Structures are given as structure tokens and as C-alpha cells.
Amino acid sequence: MSRVASIALHTFKESVRERVLYNLIAFALLLIGAAILFGSISVGVEEIILVNLGLSSISVFGLLMAIFIGIGLVSKEIERRTIFSILSKPVHRAEFIVGKYLGLLLTLVINTAIMTAGFYVALLYQKRTLRLADLLVLEAVYFILLQFALVVGLALLFSCISTPVLSAVFTLCLYIIGNLLGDIRWFGQETGNALVENGTAVLYYLLPNFGNFNAISQVSHGEGIPGYLLISNSLYALLYVAILLSASIMIFEEKEFR
Amino acid sequence: MRAGALPTFLQLGGRKTAWAVLIACFLALVPLQRGVDRQLTAQRKLEESLYLPSGKILRRLAMGHEGLLANIYWTRVVQYFGRKKLAHSARFDLLGRLLQITTELDPQLVIAYRFGAIFLAEKPPGGAGQPQVALQLLRRGIVANPNYWRLWQDVGFIYYWDLKDYASAARAFQTGSERPGAHLWMRVLAATVAAEGGNIASSRLLWSEIYRQADDDQIRRSAFEHLQALRAQEDLEEINKLLGQYRQKQGRAPGSLQDLVAGGYLPAIPRDPSGAPYRLAPEGSAGLSQGSKVDLRLLQ
Amino acid sequence: MLAVETCDLTKDYSIGFFRKRPKRALDGLSLRVEPGEVFGLLGPNGAGKSTTLKILLRLIFPTSGTARILGRELNDVSMHARIGYLPENPYFYDHLTAREFLNYVGELFGLGATERRQRVDRLLDRLGLASSRDVALRKFSKGMVQRVGLAQALINDPELIFLDEPMSGLDPLGRREVRDLILDLKRQGKTVFFSTHILSDAEMLCDRVAILNRGRLQGCGDLREILRLGVAATEIVLENPPPEALKELSPFNRSVVWTGERARLEIADEADVPKALSTALRLGVRIVSLNPVKMSLEDYFMARIEEFSHTPLDQDLKAVAQEKEVKR
């Protein structure tokens, strides 16, 4: 097994032992179950409410998991000094970073799969039967996973630079800003001030554009996501994750461990 | 050191004291909170109307969860309306705003537009009596959902029922009938309304469709009540016709509907859709009895 | 090919927030370690021993100077496959068992599954951890953690092993075991480079030592040669020598120390020893033991540290030789 795969698997096993993971999954499943009750207020919107609440829960709780575990990916190894026994082996520092990233991503994929399964169970309970069209929800789940890929990359980058608390704050801030980039840019254009307008345009392309991946509302109305958007979002995520990992590797290569 | 030393606070029965304080304070909190609630209710009512945020801003802040927020606001709409109905309030001031926020958050939440079409437009005490606001809402809904022909049906319905603008109603029904998937009766209705304006058959068709398509309990109940009223209206017209015949033949007005039965004009005293018998009102025309659940005011 | 070679290795840290004052942790360290020897890096706490090891293991980067391990540059990560490293006060993944952790390390070396299993089991046995192989590391005592550390340093059967303070925190039994292990490694032809501030361990194990103080190399060389510096004498312990015997022996010995029935005589000049022995034998005095008294490493160490001297070893040897000449 390649070294990256070893490190990834090890990171995955370590993440899975975090107790907070199970609390968050339980919460998410609870909410999904509760959605069935909320929906009974209005017949027409039962399914819409379940899809919205279910996917929003998966998104929020997954985000919390990504941040909570991501911020410690590197800093914990440094702080606990377990890093010495890894870097003294024939392991490139870049392999370490990539392995850590993939390990956490794997954790999130599996957790999301569990929560999505819970969602489908609730949907089955509500509708009595499932149709092929219900698989559309998976497209929104895929976009949510792409968002996780970006968030883990961000958390990992900050984990190489600063303490866990600051990493969490920065990652969360970037997530929020990343969601509002469209508005920030629009705002810049409205001011008419060339400097502000250009500044916000630069930010728009520089920072991760999380707004691209919002598809929950669409999917709740049974609308699919156009193919070109699926492809372009995948590419965007791939490119941006490459940027984040490269930056993390660059920083990590220069890091000293006293 | 601890074992043989002076007994601790907890050992001295301090634990009992601590528990007693805990429970007593909790019990004291309940009336206190209720007092605060009473004092704040008036203020909260005021805040209710002031603190409704802009739907557009909410949508931006929702960060991808605007669908869920829309659902939450939709829940508030239903609760608001139900609460007001229960209190027999005739005012639904916030309904328009709440529906606007809901649809700004999720422009494809069609049920919100349809709810507004019925209850924003309807005159009090059944609704807010704001047909123009309802039309505005529906126009935004059509822009966001151009292929949803039933929104055109709702536009036509408002023109027809609340505004009595039959020309506009016919145009709306016609446009709606051209949308994909539109039912045939839309075209028929367009023609009928264009030619004859308002009549009971068209009204009954519209309300029947609303009843059939209703996704919401409130809407369905309202449609049912309207259909009952329409039915009663028709019955009363029939009875009045028979009354006229009786007066012509007998040369005098009947004392009660029983006379019509005796005279063979009716097989038995007819009952209204709610099961209560019709009666002869003092003015000489037929009317509903006291125990009737039918509400003719709906037809105004 | 040298096992380890450093050339003018220097490491500066900048201390302080605004006015960055540089702190020199290592100053122009030049070392050579021959393959197959046990090399001890000695020095008081804060001398730069751990810094040196971490630079060699590429955990920190030198400010200037170069170094090579097994003939390869430091940034050749593949070379790590041939070395082992035990960090100071090691800490490993708490939640793993000893076996799981060693298995993970084995994976990082690219060992096959069967090979891994065999080596892990063998090492755990060899280091006395067989009964705790499936216990989580967080339950291990300090000595057991140290042994796991040795295991992960040896799992790839390295040619060269770096040990940073391998005896720290161990009880006498543990230290004995580590000492035996190091000797065993030497017997297998491996090179061992270890740092310690416990001189008696170094004395027992090392072929060559280097003494570091405040980042500077204070002395380096063959242990035996170092220990021959300073006043060499011979001690003879006699059992109950009669006063006449002591008087006859007095021209030879420097001092007499009585312990119970035994007298310890210290004879300064090597040449006088056979004369003293024959005298004792002639007088029928029972000879309990005859031992050379050498300068201990500690004495040498203290002298170097206190002097802060920069003179290299051969100058020292010259000076002592001259001293001896003068004495004659």
C-alpha cells in the first residue's frame, strides 16, 4: 500500500474515534426524523420540507465535522510530537499532507453516506415508495461533498499555520465569506468606486466560491442539476483543492519541529 | 487528612440545603417568567410587524439553506393564518409580508402563491381583502415559474371572483390555457367568461378546481365552504322561482315552505348542503335557517 | 563512506518578538562517525544535542553548513529507509496498540504484510513487549513507551540508528536492557549514534564521543584515548598489610586508604607497579586486586565544560604528553 494511502487510512481510523462525530451524526439523523413531523403541517410541502431539512442538516453537520477534525490534522501531530516518528521515516512531507487530507475526506464521505441513507429511510417512510427521480437528491449531496472537500483543504492549510482555535475561526470566516462572494462583488460594482470594484473582483476569483455549490432548494422541487454545472463545479473543486494542498505543502516543507 | 477531620459542608446535611435551594429557585422562576411574558406580550405584538426582515437579505444570509428558511416561513404563514382564524380576527395584516418573504426565499414554493391567491384576496373575515397585493404576488410567481399554468388560473380567479373584472379574468384564463399541460376546461372557461361574465356555473367550476387541486387544508376547507354557498345560492334561486310560480298560481304568498310541499311544488322541505332545512324568510324570499353552517357572505 | 558527516553545521534561532536577537543553538559543528561504531554525543542540557539530531533527521533545517548521512544529502528522504530514529521523550499515537502502531510504521517503510507481521512480532518479543502487544499505547508506562520507540526505530533493520537520550526516564533494569541492545546492534555491525547527558552510559558503550557545550564542540575523539588523558595511576588493594610492608612500599605509593581490613594503595608511576607487586608478594601480603585508575569521563567532561576551551583534541594530547615529559 502506498505511503499516502497508509497515512490516509490511519487518519481515517483516528477520525472515526472522535466521539463528537457520533454526536453530530445522531443529531443529523434526529433532525431528519423530526422533519417528517414538521412536514405534516401542510400536505403539499411534506416532501419539500424533508428534502430541505435533511440536506441542510447533512450540510451543516458535515461542515462542523470537517472543521472540527480538520483544524487538528497537522497541529495535533505537531503538538503531540507524533510527527517525529512519521517524518523520520522515508515519507515526503508532501505525502504526509496529501494523506492527511484524503483520510479526513474519506471520513466525511462515509459519514455523509450514512446520513444520506438515513434521509432515504425517512423519505421512504414518508412517501411509502421511492421513485427513480428521488435519486436527484444525490446530486445535491455530491455538491455538498465538494464543499466539504474545499473546507477540509482550508482547515488543513490553517492547521499548518496556526492553533486549532484560530484555524476554526479562519475556516468558518472563509466559508461564510465564500458564500457571500456574489453579493460582495455585486456590492463592489454598485459603489462605482473603481478601486473597490476591482478589489472585490479580485476577491471573487481568489477566495473559494461556495455559492456555486448551493443546490438544495433546486433539488427540493425535483429539479435536476444541469450536466455542465456538475462538471464545472467538479473541476472548480479539483483545482481549488489543488491550490490549497499546494499551499499547505509549501508551508509544511519549510516548517521546523523543535 | 480528610478522613478524620471536620465533616465537610456536604456531609453536614448541606446537600439537603443545596437541593432545597435549587428546587425553590426553579419554582420561583415559573411565575416570574409568566409575569415577564405578560408584560412583554404587548411589546412583542408590536415587534411582530416591525421585525419582519427583507426576504432578499435573508436569502443572501441563508448560505445555501434558503429552501429551509422558506419552509420555516411557510410554516409561520400557516400558523399565523390559523391563529388569526381561531381568534376570529378579521385582520391579516402580516399575511402579505410573510408570503412575500417566503416567496423571495424560494420563488418556486408554488403553494405560497396559491395560498395568497385565495386568502390575500378574499374579503374579511375570510381573508386579508388585498386582491391587488395577491395579484402582485402571483405575477412574481409566474415570472419564477412560467410553466406553472395554475398560477394563471389563480390570476384569473382573482379577477373573476374578487375584482369582478371579467375581461381581465378571461384573458388570464386564456393565457393560462396555452401553457404546457393546462387542462382543457381553462380554454372553455376563458370563452365562457369572455362571453357571459360571471355566472354560477363558471364560479362552481373554478371553486371545484381549487378544491381538487388544493394542497393545503385551509384552502380545501375554504373551497368547500364556497362550493356549499354556491350550491345553496343555486337552491335558493330555484326555490324563489317556485315561490314566484306559487304566488302567480295561488295569488298570494305562501306562509312557509311547507305550503310549497303541500302544493306539490316540492317533494319535501329541501335541505341546504350543510343539512339544515331551508326556510321562508320574513321578507318573503327563501333563506337559510339559523342552524345552517352555510355562509352566504362568502359570495359577496 | 562515513556513516555521518557534518561540516560546519550551524543553527540560529531568532528569539524575541520585536527586536529579534539571534540565539545560536549550534556553532560550526563538524563531526565524523565511522560505520560500525557506537558514537556518543555528550553534553549538558541545552548543549545542542537534540538540535543536532533533529537537523540530521531533517526535522529542522541548518542555518549554514552541510551534512551527509550514509553518503547521501540530508534532503534525500529515501535514505530514511536505512536509518532508525528514537526521539527524546517519545510520544506515539495513544489510541493504537503497540502492534497496530508498529504495523503502521512498517507500512510507511513499504514492508509487505507478512514481512511486517513477522518483524513486528519479533521486535515485540525481543523488547519484552509481547504480552502488551494488543494494549493501547496510552496505557503504557514510560519504560514501555521507550521500548516501543526502540521497536519503531529498528523495524526496518536499519544500518544506522539515531537515539536521542535513549535512557531517559528508565529504571536501572530498563537502562541495562537498552545498553545490552546497543551492544547487540554493534555486534550486528550497525552504527549507533546516541546522545546522552549520562556519562557512565557513554563510558560503557561508546567507541568515540563528542562533547557539546552551548552549541560548540568542546572535544571529540576515541574514548579510550580521552580516558588516558590525565593522571594515570594504578591501585593495589592489599588485605591487612603489616606496618612494615607499608613502610617498604611507601616510596612507590602516593596514598593509602583504609577500608576495614583492606588498604588501597595508589601508585603513581606505571614503572613502579611491578616493584610494588614483588615487594608485596615477598612479604606475603595478600593482594586483593590490581586495577588501573583512569580519569573518568566525568572528570574530563567537567574540565572541558568549565574551561570553555576551544582547543581541539590533538592539542590536548600534545599538552599532556609534554606534561608527562616534564615530569620525567
mmCIF file of all heavy atoms in Angstrom, chain B residues 6 25 35 40 50 171 182 185 216 238 241-242 265 275:
data_model
loop_
_atom_site.group_PDB
_atom_site.id
_atom_site.type_symbol
_atom_site.label_atom_id
_atom_site.label_comp_id
_atom_site.label_asym_id
_atom_site.label_seq_id
_atom_site.Cartn_x
_atom_site.Cartn_y
_atom_site.Cartn_z
ATOM 1 N N LEU B 6 -12.717 17.604 60.274
ATOM 2 C CA LEU B 6 -14.081 18.095 60.470
ATOM 3 C C LEU B 6 -14.940 17.681 59.269
ATOM 4 O O LEU B 6 -14.474 17.700 58.144
ATOM 5 C CB LEU B 6 -14.071 19.616 60.593
ATOM 6 C CG LEU B 6 -13.377 20.170 61.837
ATOM 7 C CD1 LEU B 6 -13.197 21.680 61.723
ATOM 8 C CD2 LEU B 6 -14.197 19.836 63.087
ATOM 9 N N CYS B 25 -35.769 27.755 43.929
ATOM 10 C CA CYS B 25 -35.489 28.784 42.929
ATOM 11 C C CYS B 25 -36.168 28.477 41.605
ATOM 12 O O CYS B 25 -36.697 29.360 40.944
ATOM 13 C CB CYS B 25 -33.977 28.920 42.733
ATOM 14 S SG CYS B 25 -33.176 29.732 44.109
ATOM 15 N N GLY B 35 -44.897 36.404 34.540
ATOM 16 C CA GLY B 35 -45.104 37.830 34.695
ATOM 17 C C GLY B 35 -44.395 38.602 33.597
ATOM 18 O O GLY B 35 -44.959 39.514 32.991
ATOM 19 N N LEU B 40 -44.416 41.538 28.418
ATOM 20 C CA LEU B 40 -43.768 41.694 27.121
ATOM 21 C C LEU B 40 -44.689 41.409 25.945
ATOM 22 O O LEU B 40 -44.350 41.723 24.821
ATOM 23 C CB LEU B 40 -42.543 40.782 27.025
ATOM 24 C CG LEU B 40 -41.300 41.237 27.799
ATOM 25 C CD1 LEU B 40 -40.145 40.291 27.498
ATOM 26 C CD2 LEU B 40 -40.909 42.645 27.431
ATOM 27 N N LEU B 50 -42.715 44.908 13.132
ATOM 28 C CA LEU B 50 -41.522 45.686 12.808
ATOM 29 C C LEU B 50 -40.363 44.798 12.359
ATOM 30 O O LEU B 50 -39.560 45.210 11.550
ATOM 31 C CB LEU B 50 -41.075 46.490 14.026
ATOM 32 C CG LEU B 50 -41.973 47.639 14.455
ATOM 33 C CD1 LEU B 50 -41.395 48.316 15.678
ATOM 34 C CD2 LEU B 50 -42.134 48.651 13.339
ATOM 35 N N ARG B 171 -58.912 36.900 -20.121
ATOM 36 C CA ARG B 171 -57.573 36.964 -20.723
ATOM 37 C C ARG B 171 -56.605 36.065 -19.949
ATOM 38 O O ARG B 171 -55.810 35.340 -20.527
ATOM 39 C CB ARG B 171 -57.062 38.411 -20.700
ATOM 40 C CG ARG B 171 -57.404 39.188 -21.951
ATOM 41 C CD ARG B 171 -56.485 40.400 -22.080
ATOM 42 N NE ARG B 171 -56.597 41.266 -20.908
ATOM 43 C CZ ARG B 171 -57.509 42.227 -20.777
ATOM 44 N NH1 ARG B 171 -58.374 42.435 -21.750
ATOM 45 N NH2 ARG B 171 -57.570 42.962 -19.682
ATOM 46 N N ALA B 182 -51.805 22.524 -19.511
ATOM 47 C CA ALA B 182 -53.028 23.146 -18.994
ATOM 48 C C ALA B 182 -54.238 22.285 -19.325
ATOM 49 O O ALA B 182 -54.326 21.715 -20.401
ATOM 50 C CB ALA B 182 -53.181 24.532 -19.602
ATOM 51 N N TRP B 185 -60.451 22.615 -19.569
ATOM 52 C CA TRP B 185 -61.514 23.480 -19.074
ATOM 53 C C TRP B 185 -61.081 24.944 -19.000
ATOM 54 O O TRP B 185 -61.914 25.841 -18.986
ATOM 55 C CB TRP B 185 -62.042 22.988 -17.728
ATOM 56 C CG TRP B 185 -61.013 22.924 -16.621
ATOM 57 C CD1 TRP B 185 -60.349 21.827 -16.209
ATOM 58 C CD2 TRP B 185 -60.551 24.006 -15.816
ATOM 59 N NE1 TRP B 185 -59.502 22.132 -15.193
ATOM 60 C CE2 TRP B 185 -59.590 23.479 -14.916
ATOM 61 C CE3 TRP B 185 -60.858 25.380 -15.751
ATOM 62 C CZ2 TRP B 185 -58.945 24.254 -13.986
ATOM 63 C CZ3 TRP B 185 -60.188 26.162 -14.806
ATOM 64 C CH2 TRP B 185 -59.242 25.596 -13.935
ATOM 65 N N ASP B 216 -53.376 22.302 0.513
ATOM 66 C CA ASP B 216 -53.354 22.806 1.879
ATOM 67 C C ASP B 216 -54.742 22.662 2.477
ATOM 68 O O ASP B 216 -55.751 22.880 1.795
ATOM 69 C CB ASP B 216 -52.911 24.277 1.857
ATOM 70 C CG ASP B 216 -52.937 24.897 3.236
ATOM 71 O OD1 ASP B 216 -51.993 24.654 4.002
ATOM 72 O OD2 ASP B 216 -53.916 25.608 3.532
ATOM 73 N N GLU B 238 -83.649 28.537 -7.134
ATOM 74 C CA GLU B 238 -84.684 27.587 -7.564
ATOM 75 C C GLU B 238 -85.950 27.747 -6.739
ATOM 76 O O GLU B 238 -87.059 27.809 -7.260
ATOM 77 C CB GLU B 238 -84.163 26.153 -7.431
ATOM 78 C CG GLU B 238 -83.382 25.660 -8.610
ATOM 79 C CD GLU B 238 -84.244 25.490 -9.841
ATOM 80 O OE1 GLU B 238 -85.351 24.896 -9.701
ATOM 81 O OE2 GLU B 238 -83.829 25.959 -10.912
ATOM 82 N N LYS B 241 -87.806 30.817 -7.451
ATOM 83 C CA LYS B 241 -88.568 30.657 -8.701
ATOM 84 C C LYS B 241 -89.899 29.965 -8.419
ATOM 85 O O LYS B 241 -90.968 30.376 -8.884
ATOM 86 C CB LYS B 241 -87.735 29.837 -9.698
ATOM 87 C CG LYS B 241 -87.370 30.634 -10.958
ATOM 88 C CD LYS B 241 -86.794 29.751 -12.049
ATOM 89 C CE LYS B 241 -85.268 29.790 -11.900
ATOM 90 N NZ LYS B 241 -84.588 28.852 -12.758
ATOM 91 N N LEU B 242 -89.830 28.882 -7.634
ATOM 92 C CA LEU B 242 -91.050 28.145 -7.280
ATOM 93 C C LEU B 242 -92.004 29.034 -6.478
ATOM 94 O O LEU B 242 -93.222 28.982 -6.659
ATOM 95 C CB LEU B 242 -90.705 26.892 -6.477
ATOM 96 C CG LEU B 242 -89.963 25.810 -7.260
ATOM 97 C CD1 LEU B 242 -89.580 24.673 -6.325
ATOM 98 C CD2 LEU B 242 -90.848 25.281 -8.387
ATOM 99 N N TYR B 265 -95.278 21.567 -5.234
ATOM 100 C CA TYR B 265 -94.155 22.184 -5.945
ATOM 101 C C TYR B 265 -92.823 21.557 -5.542
ATOM 102 O O TYR B 265 -91.857 21.591 -6.291
ATOM 103 C CB TYR B 265 -94.104 23.689 -5.636
ATOM 104 C CG TYR B 265 -95.290 24.446 -6.175
ATOM 105 C CD1 TYR B 265 -96.470 24.564 -5.416
ATOM 106 C CD2 TYR B 265 -95.245 25.017 -7.440
ATOM 107 C CE1 TYR B 265 -97.557 25.251 -5.933
ATOM 108 C CE2 TYR B 265 -96.326 25.705 -7.947
ATOM 109 C CZ TYR B 265 -97.492 25.818 -7.175
ATOM 110 O OH TYR B 265 -98.556 26.498 -7.692
ATOM 111 N N GLY B 275 -77.052 20.404 5.573
ATOM 112 C CA GLY B 275 -78.050 19.522 6.165
ATOM 113 C C GLY B 275 -79.193 20.239 6.847
ATOM 114 O O GLY B 275 -80.183 19.635 7.256
#
